[in-house]
Amino acid sequence: MKKKTSLRYLILPALGVALSAGAVVAQQMPPPPAIEWTPRRLDQLDRNVRRLERAVTQRNAAGDPVLIQTDPEVVTLQARVDGLDRRLRDIEATMQRVNADNERLTFALDESQRDNEAMRGLLTNADERLTRLEAALKAQAELNAPIEPNSASGNAEDDFAAAQRLTASGDAARALRAWETFVITWPEEDQAAEANYRLGDARWQAEDAEGAVQAYATSLRGWPDARWATDAVIKLATALEASDRAPQACQALTEFGRRYAEDATTAQRSRAGQVSDRAECD
């Protein structure tokens, strides 16, 4: 009995040492490498699963059901695949939203560009109209300003030529003002009489018969023998008759007969006769 006890005491320590050594060795061994799921291995796994499914189907048909426990790695892989599939669907949905937003932004940008172009056109048109209005107001202010002696060139000859150019250009309002300015700026110059005659024409064109009478009468002071004087007398008589001063018109025609009729053209004598008939001159 003592020998058995002693033997047990000897075996137990030795067994403990062996177990401890085994545990140390197990702790020092590296873990098995993880399976790398390449496309080839996945295909092989798929084929094996299909063979197992057929085998299970055959066993079940034979009345020998088989219970299959899913491989944990397959479950993990399937979960990862499902997760990737969900993430892919989320990315696709996000891309669709981004594309839709981009389309809306592109449409809004196109609309904004069209609106900007339309607004630019309106602003350009408004600017042009404002420029024209400012020019018209400036011209109107110049035309309505009091007429005072003023010479743009500094001499009567050039001012007379400038007024003639305005008359030829068709700018009646500026031409009228130019002649009015000339006659008060250069009243003693040789061109003053003709300038008054031209001023009479400008006022007659502006439907100012009274003003035309005054200008024509001023041009005929001293009864000049200039080439324009014959027309000036006929025009004076015309303006007097138009302003209901028939007697004065007849007096002007009398002076025409005395001073200018002999050298007048047929057309001028005809015009004088027409005025005489309207004024009922003797």
Side-chain angles (χ1 to χ4, degrees), residues 6-164:
S6 300
L7 183 58
R8 187 176 66 180
Y9 289 153
L10 292 174
I11 292 172
L12 289 176
L15 182 59
V17 171
L19 291 174
S20 299
V24 172
V25 171
Q27 291 176 358
Q28 293 177 349
M29 290 180 64
I35 298 175
E36 183 179 357
W37 292 103
T38 63
R40 181 173 175 276
R41 298 191 68 176
L42 288 172
D43 291 341
Q44 183 178 2
L45 177 62
D46 182 67
R47 288 194 296 272
N48 292 337
V49 169
R50 292 179 183 278
R51 284 198 292 270
L52 286 173
E53 288 177 346
R54 287 195 297 270
V56 169
T57 301
Q58 293 173 358
R59 292 281 298 273
N60 288 336
D64 187 9
V66 177
L67 299 176
I68 300 175
Q69 293 183 350
T70 306
D71 190 339
E73 290 190 8
V74 174
V75 174
T76 302
L77 180 61
Q78 184 64 41
R80 292 182 63 186
V81 170
D82 292 340
L84 290 174
D85 185 62
R86 286 193 299 272
R87 291 179 62 187
L88 180 60
R89 288 196 298 270
D90 291 341
I91 291 174
E92 289 177 346
T94 301
M95 290 300 297
Q96 290 176 354
R97 289 194 299 271
V98 169
N99 290 335
D101 292 340
N102 286 339
E103 290 179 357
R104 286 193 294 271
L105 289 174
T106 301
F107 179 78
L109 181 60
D110 292 340
E111 287 288 325
S112 177
Q113 290 177 345
R114 286 192 290 270
D115 291 342
N116 288 340
E117 291 176 357
M119 182 61 68
R120 190 178 297 108
L122 291 174
L123 290 176
T124 301
N125 185 42
D127 183 65
E128 292 175 352
R129 293 177 60 188
L130 181 60
T131 301
R132 290 194 298 269
L133 179 60
E134 288 176 345
L137 290 175
K138 182 179 179 180
Q140 191 66 28
E142 292 176 355
L143 294 174
N144 292 333
I147 298 175
E148 299 176 351
N150 179 40
S151 174
S153 65
N155 64 81
E157 184 176 352
D158 290 341
D159 286 351
F160 189 90
Q164 283 183 313

Side-chain angles (χ1 to χ4, degrees), residues 147-208:
I147 298 175
E148 299 176 351
N150 179 40
S151 174
S153 65
N155 64 81
E157 184 176 352
D158 290 341
D159 286 351
F160 189 90
Q164 283 183 313
R165 286 194 296 272
L166 285 172
T167 301
S169 71
D171 192 345
R174 289 184 178 276
L176 172 61
R177 188 171 183 85
W179 291 121
E180 289 177 336
T181 302
F182 185 95
V183 298
I184 66 171
T185 304
W186 308 106
E188 304 301 328
E189 295 296 324
D190 294 338
Q191 297 96 332
E194 184 177 356
N196 274 288
Y197 165 64
R198 303 296 179 185
L199 175 58
D201 288 347
R203 286 176 174 172
W204 179 259
Q205 184 177 357
E207 300 181 355
D208 179 11

Side-chain angles (χ1 to χ4, degrees), residues 225-248:
D225 57 359
R227 55 181 175 78
W228 48 265
T230 303
D231 267 340
V233 177
I234 299 172
K235 290 178 178 178
L236 172 60
T238 303
L240 287 167
E241 189 277 328
S243 57
D244 297 325
R245 286 184 282 183
Q248 290 89 339

